[in-house]
């Protein structure tokens, strides 16, 4: 049994400007105002060298400012992936390096 089709949005979907350092994607919410740069590998407009020696297929950079002070541990970012990761960093690296770094930047 297949899933029901997703409802179509009522307003037109804006086109995103990809692969351009000259045209950031401006956005704003109640708590944050900023801009994003999105790059996709393999398009005619992909900047030369950006993905050289990299396995990644996309790159997203967000720059901006929170409109009010927030505790660091309440700010969440992330992605959702359709498949499980096949190759993860070693557990010792996550525990000793990444968690140690996170502790240093979140506590005075």
């Amino acid at each position: 049994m297949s899933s029901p089709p997703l409802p179509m949005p009522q307003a037109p979907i804006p086109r995103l400007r990809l692969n351009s350092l000259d045209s950031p994607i401006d956005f704003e919410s109640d708590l944050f105002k900023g801009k994003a740069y999105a790059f996709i590998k393999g398009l005619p407009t992909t900047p030369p060298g950006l993905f050289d020696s990299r396995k990644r297929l996309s790159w997203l950079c967000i720059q901006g400012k929170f409109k009010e002070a927030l505790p660091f541990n309440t700010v969440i970012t992330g992605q959702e992936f359709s498949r499980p990761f096949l190759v993860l960093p070693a557990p010792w690296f996550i525990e000793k390096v990444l968690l140690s770094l996170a502790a240093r930047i979140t506590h005075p």
Side-chain angles (χ1 to χ4, degrees):
M1 178 176 267
S2 63
S3 301
L6 296 173
M8 293 299 292
Q10 299 301 314
I13 299 173
R15 290 181 164 260
L16 297 179
R17 296 175 298 277
L18 300 176
N19 294 344
S20 173
L21 285 172
D22 299 324
S23 301
I25 303 163
D26 296 312
F27 65 97
E28 185 171 357
S29 73
D30 292 342
L31 293 174
F32 189 86
K33 181 177 182 178
K35 57 187 171 182
Y37 298 91
F39 297 91
I40 306 294
K41 184 177 184 176
L43 298 179
T45 56
T46 303
L50 184 63
F51 292 96
D52 288 356
S53 303
R54 307 273 189 218
K55 291 183 179 181
R56 64 181 173 219
L57 301 176
S58 63
W59 180 67
L60 178 67
C61 174
I62 296 176
Q63 179 182 23
K65 186 174 182 179
F66 286 96
K67 295 178 178 179
E68 59 185 63
L70 296 172
F72 185 79
N73 64 348
T74 65
V75 178
I76 300 171
T77 64
Q79 292 177 286
E80 184 176 338
F81 297 94
S82 60
R83 300 184 312 248
F85 289 110
L86 298 177
V87 180
L88 292 173
W92 66 264
F93 180 79
I94 294 171
E95 181 180 345
K96 301 292 184 194
V97 178
L98 296 181
L99 294 180
S100 172
L101 177 62
R104 280 192 277 154
I105 64 174
T106 59
H107 300 303

